Amino acid sequence: MQRNEILKCLSLILVALVLFGCQSKKETTLLFVGSFTDKKLGEGIHVYEFNTETGEATLKFALDSVTNTSFLKLSNNGKYLYSVMDSQMPYHGKIGAFAIDSIHGKIDLINTQDCGGLNPAHIEIDKTGEFLTSSQYSDGSLSLFKINKEGSLNSYSQVLRFRDSSVIKGRQEASHIHSSNFSPDNNFLFAQDLGADKIRGFSFNSNAKDSMLQNEIQIKLKSGSGPRHFTFHPNGKFGYSIAELSGKITAFKYKERQLDFIEDYNSYQGTQDIYRAADIHISPDGQFLYASNRGPAEDSISIFSIDTATGKLTLVGHEPTYGERPRNFAISPSGNFLLVANLVSGNIIVFRRNAKTGKLTKLPHAIEVKNPSSLQMRAYDLDLQ
């Protein structure tokens, strides 16, 4: 090959690299916000584009004419969003399925289904993405749904109802199923019964024609705890419960179907007359655990480091939420940000998260939205859309 031909080939290769090989990846991170609507039709779900450099959020879409869409859950593949609807109403709530348009940052309703009980408070999706559970607080029920390939929901295939109680008057005179979580191996489901101070465990047999949730076991917590939310560690060896009524986090060792007690930890910085601990999450790297604590005396996020060998926690500190009554919060997919929804003050505060220390630094980009109660975040590769 002549020198000129070689140079020509090299030039063509260079042009190709510039045009194709060096193109930046087109990616967007979306923030989905579910809200209470004061028990009447209103704007219940907002979609924001989240800037992963600055922490700013830009409103892209608002879903109107819905009631109390107070808890959201993204599908495993990020294509669909599921929301409780008509929560805290005197009739059965619903679960809504929505298709996500990640390019335009909007959602479109696919269908809704009766949730099978009163006041749906939480949604969980199994590891296969084929099944969804709904936890109903007011009548202590737990429902199971099949998810179709296009994201729609079949009507519930199983509803479990519980009749139980515990020691705190006015809060624990009946079972209140507040949330549920599939185990890391997807073989079991654990439901938090705030009213009975129990975690209820079930075998999950997705091949069964009916009654896929079977063989209940009960993990008893300390009286007056009020287990609310739960999370498994990314390594699959540990689980952590946040107890609303005692304001404590309980660490468990997990193996097969068993949750073995490790230790209790105070989530609040100070002593409260009334505890209202809310949400709990672990950073993507598995190094830190965060929990939200609602007032009246303290609205904060507690921060703990995790010993990944033993599952034990060490307190790092507390960060105020700069708003009233923090409910749900979310850690961004990158792990660089933590966003907390302050229900009563109507703001979502954005923190930058230090991956080495776990500590949080408030950013000036608060998101103002009425009665925010649930946050979900997802990064989307627009080149694949």
Side-chain angles (χ1 to χ4, degrees):
M1 183 179 292
Q2 298 297 321
R3 182 173 180 273
N4 288 341
E5 292 178 343
I6 293 173
L7 291 174
K8 185 178 180 181
C9 288
L10 290 173
S11 297
L12 290 173
I13 292 170
L14 181 60
V15 170
L17 287 172
V18 171
L19 291 176
F20 303 104
C22 299
Q23 286 185 343
S24 60
K25 184 179 179 181
K26 293 181 180 179
E27 187 175 88
T28 186
T29 295
L30 296 181
L31 166 67
F32 303 87
V33 180
S35 301
F36 286 100
T37 62
D38 297 325
K39 300 184 179 181
K40 59 187 179 184
L41 294 176
E43 288 188 359
I45 301 177
H46 294 80
V47 184
Y48 296 84
E49 185 175 19
F50 185 78
N51 187 317
T52 56
E53 296 295 328
T54 66
E56 295 175 279
T58 303
L59 180 64
K60 304 293 287 185
F61 177 82
L63 181 70
D64 203 352
S65 300
V66 289
T67 304
N68 283 9
T69 47
S70 57
F71 192 88
L72 307 178
K73 182 70 176 180
L74 281 166
S75 65
N76 300 350
N77 60 14
K79 293 182 178 181
Y80 309 106
L81 180 72
Y82 298 91
S83 176
V84 306
M85 306 176 79
D86 297 338
S87 68
Q88 296 188 352
M89 302 300 281
Y91 50 81
H92 276 203
K94 302 182 186 69
I95 306 298
F98 299 86
I100 296 172
D101 178 350
S102 58
I103 294 176
H104 299 98
K106 60 176 292 190
I107 59 174
D108 291 297
L109 180 65
I110 302 173
N111 76 329
T112 63
Q113 294 288 359
D114 186 313
C115 74
L118 294 173
N119 191 9
H122 185 272
I123 296 170
E124 172 73 335
I125 296 173
D126 85 311
K127 303 299 185 289
T128 70
E130 296 178 358
F131 296 93
L132 178 149
T133 56
S134 173
S135 300
Q136 283 75 243
Y137 181 87
S138 293
D139 63 356
S141 60
L142 178 67
S143 307
L144 179 70
F145 300 81
K146 178 73 170 64
I147 301 175
N148 298 311
K149 289 184 179 180
E150 79 287 359
S152 65
L153 290 173
N154 287 344
S155 59
Y156 55 79
S157 58
Q158 187 177 5
V159 179
L160 300 175
R161 305 185 189 279
F162 305 97
R163 301 288 182 267
D164 214 332
S165 62
S166 193
V167 298
I168 297 182
K169 293 182 179 180
R171 294 300 309 274
Q172 294 187 306
E173 293 168 330
S175 282
H176 299 301
I177 305 301
H178 212 303
S179 65
S180 67
N181 301 82
F182 286 96
S183 61
D185 56 18
N186 211 48
N187 291 327
F188 306 97
L189 180 78
F190 295 92
Q192 312 290 305
D193 190 338
L194 182 147
D197 289 326
K198 293 175 180 178
I199 300 176
R200 301 180 183 274
F202 305 89
S203 298
F204 175 56
N205 182 2
S206 60
N207 294 317
K209 291 184 178 180
D210 53 19
S211 301
M212 295 179 186
L213 299 174
Q214 307 168 349
N215 307 318
E216 180 187 352
I217 63 168
Q218 298 180 3
I219 299 99
K220 189 74 175 71
L221 276 67
K222 293 177 182 177
S223 295
S225 294
R228 178 183 172 97
H229 281 187
F230 187 94
T231 186
F232 281 102
H233 193 277
N235 67 16
K237 296 179 181 179
F238 310 108
Y240 301 88
S241 171
I242 182 77
E244 177 173 342
L245 305 181
S246 68
K248 293 184 182 296
I249 296 167
T250 302
F252 297 91
K253 183 177 180 181
Y254 173 70
K255 187 176 181 180
E256 293 280 327
R257 196 177 182 176
Q258 296 301 316
L259 290 171
D260 295 325
F261 175 82
I262 297 175
E263 196 168 339
D264 279 337
Y265 304 87
N266 292 323
S267 185
Y268 282 74
Q269 188 170 9
T271 302
Q272 309 284 304
D273 292 330
I274 299 173
Y275 291 97
R276 295 192 181 101
D279 199 11
I280 187 167
H281 294 287
I282 294 174
S283 59
D285 61 9
Q287 297 300 309
F288 295 95
L289 180 145
Y290 300 84
S292 56
N293 308 305
R294 298 176 288 181
E298 180 182 336
D299 291 310
S300 69
I301 298 289
S302 55
I303 308 166
F304 296 84
S305 63
I306 303 172
D307 184 329
T308 56
T310 66
K312 291 187 176 182
L313 304 178
T314 300
L315 180 66
V316 173
H318 292 79
E319 183 70 25
T321 65
Y322 302 93
E324 188 176 351
R325 203 168 300 176
R327 197 174 172 93
N328 192 222
F329 66 94
I331 300 173
S332 67
S334 66
N336 294 332
F337 299 91
L338 185 148
L339 288 73
V340 58
N342 291 303
L343 178 70
V344 173
S345 54
N347 58 355
I348 299 169
I349 300 300
V350 182
F351 297 92
R352 192 176 293 275
R353 196 183 75 88
N354 187 312
K356 292 183 179 180
T357 66
K359 292 184 178 180
L360 305 174
T361 301
K362 179 182 177 295
L363 297 180
H365 316 304
I367 304 167
E368 303 296 328
V369 59
K370 187 177 180 180
N371 299 330
S373 62
S374 180
L375 308 178
Q376 291 279 282
M377 299 185 77
R378 175 88 181 199
Y380 291 91
D381 185 351
L382 298 182
D383 290 331
L384 299 179
Q385 302 305 309

